[in-house]
Amino acid sequence: MNRRSDIGWPELIVGIILIIIGVVIMRQPVGVLTWIVILCGVLAILSGIGDIVLYVKMEHFTGFGPIVSLVTGILSVMAGFMLAAHPEAGNWGLAMILPIWIIAHCISRLSHLQYMKMHYGMTYYTISLILNILGLLVGILLIFRPMITIFSMGVLVGVFLIIEGVEFIFVGLDGRQYYR
């Protein structure tokens, strides 16, 4: 007899991983922003190289290449090296982008609270409502005070990952698939 488990294992595993990463980041919050910027720089370099390779391949096979691909590839490589060599320059960019992303994420979560209330009940609805309103307030504060973002990025990312992990575990233990 084949019995289906009531536990959503993918959600449960992702939740546990997010909590572990969040705790690790909160224990070492100072260098997180620098590593995020360096990672973005490496990704920009790889993306730029991909654009340049696309230009070369198109040039070889068709006789002409998309100039936009070459230009964006060169700019991506240059920006990537700048971010990797001088991550403090990227700190300001992330300090502006993170609050906008937090606000957008919280608005998205608030927009489907009625569905979550029907599916998971009043307790989850209330907790999610409170957390997302707090997230909106934090996002708005961070827009007007970017230095707070720079100095608290590691803690913010760690707390956010822990909260997301708890939510994933809650969904996984509920047994119903949230992402269907």
Side-chain angles (χ1 to χ4, degrees):
M1 180 157 127
N2 190 6
R3 184 170 174 243
R4 184 172 139 18
S5 173
D6 287 338
I7 295 176
W9 287 105
E11 291 86 1
L12 189 64
I13 292 169
V14 168
I16 292 169
I17 291 170
L18 287 174
I19 289 173
I20 291 170
I21 293 171
V23 169
V24 168
I25 288 174
M26 285 190 63
R27 290 191 72 205
Q28 299 276 340
V30 176
V32 170
L33 183 60
T34 302
W35 284 108
I36 290 172
V37 171
I38 291 171
L39 179 63
C40 288
V42 170
L43 292 174
I45 292 169
L46 295 174
S47 173
I49 290 171
D51 286 344
I52 294 170
V53 168
L54 173 70
Y55 171 81
V56 170
K57 284 184 177 180
M58 292 295 291
E59 177 81 31
H60 177 71
F61 289 115
T62 64
F64 64 93
I67 296 297
V68 172
S69 181
L70 179 62
V71 171
T72 59
I74 292 170
L75 291 175
S76 290
V77 170
M78 290 169 48
F81 277 119
M82 189 271 306
L83 288 175
H86 302 287
E88 60 278 351
N91 290 351
W92 284 102
L94 279 178
M96 291 288 106
I97 292 170
L98 181 71
I100 294 168
W101 177 73
I102 289 173
I103 291 169
H105 179 76
C106 290
I107 289 172
S108 171
R109 293 287 180 150
L110 288 170
S111 71
H112 66 271
L113 271 180
Q114 287 298 6
Y115 169 76
M116 300 306 288
K117 182 179 179 181
M118 290 184 325
H119 200 67
Y120 293 108
M122 194 64 182
T123 303
Y124 179 82
Y125 171 84
T126 306
I127 291 170
S128 186
L129 177 68
I130 292 168
L131 289 175
N132 285 298
I133 289 173
L134 288 173
L136 279 174
L137 294 174
V138 167
I140 292 167
L141 171 71
L142 294 178
I143 283 178
F144 293 109
R145 302 280 189 214
M147 288 305 292
I148 294 174
T149 305
I150 290 173
F151 292 123
S152 64
M153 178 72 85
V155 175
L156 288 172
V157 169
V159 169
F160 176 75
L161 290 175
I162 291 170
I163 290 170
E164 286 292 306
V166 169
E167 183 176 356
F168 268 89
I169 289 174
F170 181 80
V171 170
L173 291 177
D174 189 284
R176 291 173 248 174
Q177 297 295 322
Y178 172 62
Y179 296 104
R180 279 194 186 163

